[in-house]
């Protein structure tokens, strides 16, 4: 990695890196180099909608909902005004509710809110639409294969009623068993169980699998709707303002930061180091830092710096106070460590442990400069992943699930339920997986981080209150 001698040099290097942004604090932003057309936003719908919706008897606005504008700002370079389809209930349905079997599968790692979404899909399908049956496929894509089909469980109003009170996943989860290699077998089993709608909960890899499964269904002529619900703590799904579990993750991360700072400030030359989720995108680390308000250094994959620059920032902090709180996203600094070259079960590049690496590097550096020092390292990852959703996240989960059921019954497919400009949307999966959402280091969120963290530039001296003289 080239040496970065100043923050301006770092910014100059990174300005050449493309970054797709949806700011979680403010309205979504449009990248100026977009070359999208409206065709990219059009959703696949299974043909024919001959059945009347049972919700038509209620006072719901059905159909003809206004589209949701993608081009948030006037100065966008897009040739046309682009828009998402508004998610919601419909007058006419593709599936006859009383004959419809709904399936749910959850893939990838754990995430706060999983049980909220599973529960809401099951209850809304059964109680609002009156579907015939809801099946939960256990342990990810494995549950749709012959070897895992025996673990499938029927979800009822009784066994789902209280599941949202607990963290983890009622259906379990797993990585691997890619749809691209096992799609035919999965479609066979869906047809055998007469599943008409399959809801897939997961991140980038799961969404790719869901889209591939839709293609298998189309080739087989199987009348099955595949709906994705984006589940990723990292909040890195593109063209989606936020994903469920992200807010809870930030809330839990702030508690870890509070503990790290308590440890650091209790020691002379103390450093509190917290590692948070963020393989490619540092949203959790950045948002948690802003929410906590007292982090001194934030390290994310979108803004790589050298160890030498990190040491300079720590020294700058020590000139003001004898302690420092650092938060690092798990994907930061991978070039600093020797790569194993391995991959995990999902096919992702195996990451080195940047938290342990930085702890050891900081201890070595501190030992060479100070007689008294300490580094307290906290990795709350599994505590964050396995907790239950906060109230606001839980409400978001329920709304995501209800909108997914609306669209599934209508016959939408190869799409996911998103959130844009504070409106629930229907987004083609292929659009979302075309690239990854990352923190814009020239956007509002990162500017907020920069405004509260250590700088190598002199800032105006803080006002010093008059107090008692120091002890002799």
């Amino acid at each position: 990695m080239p040496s970065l001698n100043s923050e301006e040099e770092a910014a100059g290097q990174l300005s050449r890196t493309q970054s797709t942004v949806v700011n979680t604090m403010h309205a979504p932003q449009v990248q100026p180099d977009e070359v999208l057309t409206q065709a990219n936003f059009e959703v696949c719908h299974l043909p024919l909608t001959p059945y009347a919706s049972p919700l038509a008897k209620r006072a719901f606005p059905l159909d003809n909902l206004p589209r949701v504008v993608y081009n948030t700002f006037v100065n966008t370079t897009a040739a046309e005004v682009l828009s998402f389809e508004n998610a919601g209930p419909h007058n006419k349905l593709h599936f006859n509710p009383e004959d419809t079997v709904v399936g749910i599968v959850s893939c990838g790692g754990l995430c706060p809110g999983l049980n909220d979404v599973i529960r809401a899909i099951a209850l809304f399908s059964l109680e609002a639409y009156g579907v015939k049956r809801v099946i939960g496929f256990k342990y990810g894509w494995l549950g749709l294969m012959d070897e895992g089909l025996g673990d499938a469980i029927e979800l009822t109003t009784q066994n789902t009623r209280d599941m949202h009170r607990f963290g983890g996943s009622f259906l379990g989860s797993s990585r691997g068993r890619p749809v691209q290699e096992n799609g035919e077998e999965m479609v066979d089993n869906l047809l055998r169980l007469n599943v008409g709608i399959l809801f897939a909960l997961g991140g980038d890899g799961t969404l790719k699998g869901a889209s591939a499964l839709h293609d298998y269904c189309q080739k087989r002529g199987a009348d099955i709707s595949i709906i994705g619900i984006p589940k990723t703590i990292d909040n890195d799904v593109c063209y989606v303002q936020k994903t469920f579990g992200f807010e809870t993750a930030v809330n839990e991360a702030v508690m870890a930061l509070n503990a790290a700072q308590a440890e650091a400030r209790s020691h002379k030359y103390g450093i509190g180091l917290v590692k948070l989720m963020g393989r490619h995108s540092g949203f959790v680390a950045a948002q948690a830092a802003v929410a906590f308000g007292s982090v001194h250094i934030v390290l994310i994959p979108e803004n790589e710096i050298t160890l030498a620059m990190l040491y300079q920032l720590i020294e700058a902090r020590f000139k003001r106070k004898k302690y420092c709180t650092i938060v690092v996203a798990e994907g930061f600094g991978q070039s600093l460590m020797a790569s194993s070259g391995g991959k995990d079960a999902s096919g992702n590049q195996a990451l080195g442990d940047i938290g342990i690496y930085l702890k050891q590097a900081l201890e070595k550096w501190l030992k060479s400069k100070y007689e008294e020092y300490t580094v307290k390292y906290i990795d709350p990852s599994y505590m964050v992943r396995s907790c239950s959703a906060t109230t606001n996240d839980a409400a978001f989960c329920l709304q995501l699930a209800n909108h997914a059921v609306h669209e599934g019954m209508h016959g939408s497919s190869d799409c996911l339920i998103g959130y844009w400009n504070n409106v629930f949307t229907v987004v083609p999966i292929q659009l979302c997986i075309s690239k990854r959402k990352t923190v814009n280091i020239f956007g509002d969120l990162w500017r907020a981080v920069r405004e509260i963290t250590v700088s190598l530039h002199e800032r105006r001296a803080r006002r010093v209150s008059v107090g008692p003289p120091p002890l002799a």
Side-chain angles (χ1 to χ4, degrees):
M1 181 187 297
S3 175
L4 301 179
N5 297 319
S6 71
E7 289 174 320
E8 283 81 12
E9 187 177 348
Q13 176 182 345
L14 288 163
S15 66
R16 297 187 291 273
T17 304
Q18 296 300 316
S19 175
T20 303
V21 179
V22 174
N23 194 317
T24 59
M25 298 173 62
H26 304 284
Q29 297 182 5
V30 177
Q31 196 66 5
D33 61 347
E34 295 290 359
V35 290
L36 299 171
T37 68
Q38 186 57 42
N40 297 110
F41 292 79
E42 296 305 318
V43 175
C44 171
H45 297 281
L46 302 180
L48 303 179
T49 53
Y51 302 103
S53 171
L55 302 183
K57 300 175 183 178
R58 305 187 184 187
F60 288 153
L62 305 179
D63 294 321
N64 300 319
L65 296 174
R67 294 183 69 89
V68 182
V69 174
Y70 167 66
N71 316 78
T72 310
F73 298 104
V74 175
N75 63 349
T76 178
T77 57
E80 58 182 319
V81 176
L82 307 174
S83 62
F84 296 101
E85 188 173 311
N86 197 328
H90 301 269
N91 277 307
K92 294 294 185 178
L93 307 179
H94 177 78
F95 295 100
N96 183 11
E98 64 185 27
D99 297 327
T100 300
V101 176
V102 168
I104 307 173
V105 62
S106 169
C107 308
L110 296 182
C111 175
L114 267 172
N115 286 336
D116 297 76
V117 174
I118 295 168
R119 171 185 182 270
I121 291 175
L123 291 181
F124 197 61
S125 298
L126 291 167
E127 296 183 337
Y129 278 97
V131 301
K132 182 178 181 179
R133 191 182 183 196
V134 178
I135 300 174
F137 296 100
K138 303 201 74 173
Y139 309 119
W141 293 123
L142 171 66
L144 273 69
M145 298 175 62
D146 294 340
E147 61 177 304
L149 200 62
D151 292 320
I153 180 173
E154 180 165 358
L155 300 178
T156 67
T157 56
Q158 286 73 35
N159 64 12
T160 60
R161 186 67 66 182
D162 298 323
M163 69 165 60
H164 61 307
R165 298 181 182 179
F166 306 98
S169 173
F170 182 78
L171 296 179
S173 193
S174 71
R175 301 181 186 274
R177 274 81 174 189
V179 176
Q180 292 82 349
E181 300 172 10
N182 303 284
E184 291 287 353
E185 182 179 330
M186 294 179 185
V187 174
D188 286 340
N189 287 325
L190 290 174
L191 291 172
R192 186 177 301 121
L193 294 171
N194 295 316
V195 173
I197 308 170
L198 179 68
F199 297 101
L201 285 57
D204 182 72
T206 303
L207 295 174
K208 289 177 181 177
S211 186
L213 191 59
H214 165 83
D215 291 341
Y216 275 107
C217 290
Q218 291 290 295
K219 292 176 183 176
R220 293 277 297 274
D223 190 30
I224 301 175
S225 166
I226 309 294
I227 304 286
I229 300 181
K231 175 224 69 167
T232 166
I233 286 178
D234 294 353
N235 196 37
D236 60 354
V237 176
C238 213
Y239 304 102
V240 175
Q241 187 172 332
K242 70 172 182 177
T243 53
F244 78 84
F246 172 71
E247 183 173 309
T248 303
V250 171
N251 190 64
E252 293 293 315
V254 167
M255 290 192 283
L257 292 174
N258 186 55
Q261 184 166 103
E263 287 283 353
R265 72 190 307 169
S266 299
H267 297 83
K268 190 174 183 180
Y269 298 115
I271 293 179
L273 174 65
V274 177
K275 185 182 79 170
L276 296 175
M277 291 76 66
R279 172 178 286 270
H280 301 287
S281 305
F283 284 107
V284 175
Q287 191 83 350
V290 172
F292 184 57
S294 297
V295 172
H296 307 115
I297 300 172
V298 180
L299 306 173
I300 61 174
E302 297 90 335
N303 189 43
E304 294 284 353
I305 64 174
T306 62
L307 284 177
M309 189 174 188
L310 174 60
Y311 298 152
Q312 291 179 51
L313 291 169
I314 296 172
E315 286 185 319
R317 168 61 187 172
F318 281 168
K319 288 178 181 179
R320 299 178 64 177
K321 297 285 185 179
K322 296 298 188 289
Y323 71 94
C324 180
T325 308
I326 303 173
V327 57
V328 57
E330 62 181 329
F332 171 84
Q334 293 302 304
S335 60
L336 300 174
M337 301 174 287
S339 174
S340 65
K343 295 184 181 295
D344 61 22
S346 296
N348 300 312
Q349 185 70 39
L351 296 180
D353 193 331
I354 187 61
I356 297 297
Y357 176 86
L358 284 181
K359 179 181 184 296
Q360 295 172 347
L362 289 172
E363 287 175 335
K364 182 178 180 180
W365 175 73
L366 288 167
K367 184 177 181 180
S368 69
K369 296 182 67 66
Y370 307 103
E371 291 185 5
E372 187 177 346
Y373 67 89
T374 188
V375 179
K376 302 300 184 184
Y377 173 55
I378 298 176
D379 180 359
S381 298
Y382 292 106
M383 293 179 65
V384 171
R385 294 176 190 275
S386 59
C387 69
S388 57
T390 60
T391 54
N392 199 46
D393 226 348
F396 182 63
C397 289
L398 184 141
Q399 291 178 284
L400 274 175
N402 287 3
H403 282 85
V405 174
H406 287 316
E407 293 302 328
M409 293 300 299
H410 183 61
S412 302
S413 188
D414 196 21
C415 60
L416 59 80
I417 304 303
Y419 194 64
W420 195 262
N421 287 334
N422 300 316
V423 179
F424 290 93
T425 58
V426 191
V427 190
I429 291 178
Q430 287 300 314
L431 178 63
C432 291
I433 63 177
S434 62
K435 55 186 174 182
R436 190 182 304 278
K437 185 175 70 178
T438 55
V439 174
N440 179 2
I441 64 167
F442 303 107
D444 291 346
L445 177 59
W446 192 246
R447 184 175 67 247
V449 171
R450 291 285 299 276
E451 287 170 347
I452 63 172
T453 51
V454 177
S455 172
L456 294 182
H457 301 289
E458 291 293 332
R459 292 177 176 170
R460 190 176 67 177
R462 291 186 176 182
R463 185 182 305 164
V464 179
S465 60
V466 178
L471 296 175

